[in-house]
Amino acid sequence: MAIGSKLLEMSEISMIPANSDSMGLVLKNKYDFSVVDQLLGIRSLPIFASPMSSITDEHNWKMWESKGIRTIIPRTVDINIRIEASQYTFAAFSKDEARAIFGQSRKMTQSRLLVCIEAANGQESELFSLGRLLKQMYGNQMLLMGGNLSNPKAYVEYCKSGFDYVRLGATSGSLASSRFGFHYPTASLLIDTIGVKTTAAIGLPNPKIILDGGIEGPSDILKALVIGADYVMIGREFSRLIEAAGPVYKRGLEVDSNGNKKGVAKVVSREELLNGPRDKDNLRSLAYYRWYRGNTSLETQANLNGYSTFIEWVNKDKNAFSKIRPCDCTNDAEISVTSTIDNWLKEMSDCFIYCFDMVGAGDLEYFKRNTKYVIV
């Protein structure tokens, strides 16, 4: 897209119904929302759960997978657990971790390795050279994910470097901040990357595109797929679910030794969460919440350095401030926990069925081929 042209967010894209003459035959109640990933030979929803400590961990990734949602174990999880998990699901590693663990000598395993390399800048030449190295060493035994790409032309470099998947969007998704003056609106980023894929990247291996950030509801998932994404990644919406990772809090009052009342936040046990109310009205009345933190937030940086909080980090590590890098996300968000994964999937299904009916689709592939979008 030319410099100075208006760039688009997902809210500025609208799908349009098919005309009656082009509608396909649909058996009612026979809708297929899944995609088949030829690289792994598995069927799932076209959705990844974001690799964030408030979404996914080593305890709940199988829950997401059982619901048809792909996972990436985040870097806040112990590195040995991530190495083991990479034989079963994607696990995230920094460039340095990936080079030290997989790039020094070939890791012998009977299973495929599913490795997501996270970089502060998805256009780094070091990331591309590392991708080439790992692909030369492992070939098809390693499925490699990279990102986060925020310049459409860089897609060609991912093709040349052997990546199998590329995350498209700002590093912290919906928490990303434009205060540094860099932001490529989500819809245009996807549209322009698809343009590069169908022109400059012709004849090259094409990594699957995962749109990461800017998804604000089930219809945005379908918009992204219609434009050309293979998957979307969801963070904020999943942080509202009781099954998501990370502590959940509930506000209350506490009386001190002087008889004064003060507000406190107490951690809700997993047993209470999973065995308690499941409907939205009751969950809202309980006023549960969790902290939704970007992968570069100060608290997350503290976790990655082995500390439970940022305050603990700076109090115990005299070199902490020299290790802090600029945070490219806004302040941590306090998210109300108001739903369950089953309720979310029901709402997604209702939206998908409505949209499928608008074009006479029974499955995602037909929907993608026969749905047009316009700019509003």
Side-chain angles (χ1 to χ4, degrees), residues 1 6-16 185-192 211 214 219-228 371-376:
M1 183 170 285
K6 177 174 169 36
L7 301 182
L8 308 167
E9 299 289 3
M10 294 302 289
S11 60
E12 297 173 279
I13 300 294
S14 180
M15 299 175 289
I16 56 176
T186 303
S188 284
L189 178 60
L190 178 57
I191 291 168
D192 294 348
L211 185 63
S219 63
D220 277 356
I221 298 173
L222 293 177
K223 291 179 191 178
L225 298 175
V226 166
I227 293 171
T371 304
K372 308 298 181 185
Y373 69 90
V374 294
I375 299 168
V376 295

Side-chain angles (χ1 to χ4, degrees), residues 72-125:
I72 306 169
I73 306 297
R75 286 201 294 132
T76 46
V77 170
D78 178 84
I79 192 167
N80 292 311
I81 294 175
R82 281 181 280 143
I83 294 170
E84 174 69 19
S86 68
Q87 298 178 68
Y88 310 102
T89 187
F90 273 101
F93 301 89
S94 69
K95 298 191 303 295
D96 289 343
E97 287 175 334
R99 186 179 293 104
I101 297 164
F102 304 107
Q104 301 298 326
S105 60
R106 196 170 188 275
K107 195 171 185 64
M108 302 306 294
T109 174
Q110 296 299 314
S111 305
R112 261 186 167 174
L113 295 168
L114 310 181
V115 175
C116 172
I117 305 176
E118 291 191 332
N121 181 344
Q123 288 71 236
E124 293 181 15
S125 58

